[in-house]
Amino acid sequence: MTSNRKKILLSGVKPTGRPHIGNYFGAMKQFVDMQEDYDTLIMVADLHALTTVHDPSALRADILDLVFDYLAIGLDPSKVTLFRQSDVPAHTELAWIFNCLTTMPYLMRAHAYKDAAAKNKEINVGTFDYPMLMAADILLYDTDIVPVGQDQKQHVEYARDTAEKFNRIFGETFRRPEEYLMSEVETITGIDGRKMSKSYNNTIPLFAGEDDIRQAVMKIVTDSKETTEPKDPNTDAVFALHKLFSTDDLADIRKRYEQGGLGYKESKEILIENMNKYLAPLREKRADITNDATTAIQILKNGAEVAGDRARLKMMTVKERVGLTL
């Protein structure tokens, strides 16, 4: 007999920094597109943010900003459980139980730890133990799939390994999650032609105004070909963004690139117009809801009640398995 239950999808999003269009097309939009088909939990990963953010005012503001961002792009709280990680104490409780099964050499394989160690930083325990809290985030809800980019697969592998180890020692308890690879994550092009990333300072903000969009697009690096010369759309950073924002005109733009007759300045002007058409409704919706922090906080509270009920049920089983019940 086949089950009609929806698969459970969980994603944790750290409330740090403002989103850019790479974040949107690489992940955020896909969550919105998937919310109809999955039992979706979107977690504001504020505990994870504490590994780097030590300014309480900034963290509070970033948490609300993240909620505003997701509501503005179309995340529907009636279809999605949107909640704050720190509102569900079972996350840290389960992470401690996992800590007691996990060895230090195993955690030393984590990319974040190795990157920090390579930079000779003093690494806080939260950064070192990050994978176990993330495993708890995922396994607590019997998650089926976790949307990730290619460079984030290890997070899900750690969760899967942890589930298998716990199940082997204490009996079948946790579902083994699978990564859901988001193909766009690696391919959104920044204004310098590299992958769009805050670390490269080559981003275009998702909720940028018209002037900011124009300024960013005009900075996109191109070659020196004249208007009349043919151009390769497969290597041009402007055309890479046309594929996201100029879908109605894309065939014509590609033809003019390949045949010659479309200069980079005109191409950028077309892109600016199409980006404004696409982003203006998102920008306007966000402006409308930004003044309503009370509603955003209530949405998080409602989500925490739903997530908390599910987490408590899971922890009853976990505690019984490991011997924490009498």
Side-chain angles (χ1 to χ4, degrees), residues 39-50:
D39 177 2
T40 302
L41 297 99
I42 302 295
M43 180 187 73
V44 179
D46 53 350
L47 293 177
H48 286 298
L50 289 175

Side-chain angles (χ1 to χ4, degrees), residues 7 20 31 44 60 75 77 103 105 120-121 134-135 169 190 207 218 221 226 234 238 243 248 283 308 311:
K7 285 189 174 183
H20 53 74
F31 299 154
V44 179
R60 292 186 189 103
L75 209 65
T103 67
N120 297 315
K121 289 185 177 180
M134 191 169 291
I169 296 171
F207 299 103
M218 285 302 178
V221 175
E226 299 290 338
N234 299 316
V238 183
K243 289 191 287 186
D248 292 342
R283 188 168 63 233

Side-chain angles (χ1 to χ4, degrees), residues 24-157:
Y24 175 69
F25 285 101
M28 298 170 74
K29 181 179 183 295
Q30 297 188 50
F31 299 154
V32 175
D33 293 342
M34 297 168 81
Q35 67 184 339
E36 299 283 351
D37 300 322
Y38 291 87
D39 177 2
T40 302
L41 297 99
I42 302 295
M43 180 187 73
V44 179
D46 53 350
L47 293 177
H48 286 298
L50 289 175
T51 61
T52 56
V53 180
H54 301 142
D55 180 337
S57 297
L59 182 57
R60 292 186 189 103
D62 284 344
I63 288 167
L64 283 176
D65 275 335
L66 181 60
V67 176
F68 292 142
D69 294 342
Y70 272 95
L71 295 177
I73 66 171
L75 209 65
D76 185 346
S78 70
K79 299 173 181 175
V80 169
T81 302
L82 179 61
F83 70 102
R84 200 162 53 128
Q85 183 185 27
S86 62
D87 282 336
V88 183
H91 287 261
T92 49
E93 188 176 21
L94 182 58
W96 176 256
I97 292 172
F98 289 162
N99 280 344
C100 298
L101 300 177
T102 303
T103 67
M104 291 179 65
Y106 178 74
L107 287 178
M108 291 172 71
R109 291 166 38 196
H111 298 322
Y113 169 77
K114 290 198 289 187
D115 288 347
K119 296 172 183 174
N120 297 315
K121 289 185 177 180
E122 286 196 14
I123 301 162
N124 62 49
V125 176
T127 298
F128 181 68
D129 198 35
Y130 196 96
M132 288 301 98
L133 180 56
M134 191 169 291
D137 300 334
I138 295 168
L139 299 179
L140 195 54
Y141 301 99
D142 284 327
T143 303
D144 291 293
I145 65 167
V146 183
V148 292
Q150 187 67 37
D151 58 347
Q152 299 168 321
K153 284 176 62 179
Q154 191 189 52
H155 299 324
V156 187
E157 292 168 0

Side-chain angles (χ1 to χ4, degrees), residues 145-281:
I145 65 167
V146 183
V148 292
Q150 187 67 37
D151 58 347
Q152 299 168 321
K153 284 176 62 179
Q154 191 189 52
H155 299 324
V156 187
E157 292 168 0
Y158 266 82
R160 195 160 50 240
D161 287 350
T162 302
E164 289 171 353
K165 187 170 187 178
F166 187 99
N167 292 351
R168 186 172 64 251
I169 296 171
F170 295 110
E172 195 68 26
T173 305
F174 292 109
R175 185 173 294 147
R176 296 159 182 78
E178 297 291 336
E179 61 269 14
Y180 177 91
L181 290 176
M182 297 185 291
S183 58
E184 293 282 3
V185 171
E186 301 296 335
T187 59
I188 309 301
T189 305
I191 62 176
D192 61 355
R194 294 182 292 177
K195 175 187 172 182
M196 188 171 290
S197 171
K198 292 170 190 171
S199 61
Y200 295 151
N201 195 30
N202 66 352
T203 64
I204 301 174
L206 176 59
F207 299 103
E210 293 186 27
D211 290 343
D212 292 330
I213 290 172
R214 171 171 290 278
Q215 187 177 27
V217 170
M218 285 302 178
K219 289 180 180 177
I220 295 175
V221 175
T222 60
D223 59 34
S224 57
K225 287 188 173 67
E226 299 290 338
T227 299
T228 54
E229 292 182 85
K231 302 166 185 66
D232 184 356
N234 299 316
T235 60
D236 176 53
V238 183
F239 190 85
L241 294 176
H242 276 303
K243 289 191 287 186
L244 301 174
F245 294 101
S246 305
T247 51
D248 292 342
D249 312 321
L250 194 61
D252 181 61
I253 294 170
R254 177 181 287 277
K255 181 178 179 181
R256 294 182 66 194
Y257 259 74
E258 293 174 341
Q259 293 183 350
L262 178 61
Y264 289 120
K265 185 175 186 303
E266 183 185 356
S267 180
K268 290 180 178 182
E269 291 290 352
I270 295 170
L271 178 60
I272 290 166
E273 181 180 355
N274 289 334
M275 285 184 70
N276 273 316
K277 285 180 184 176
Y278 191 106
L279 298 177

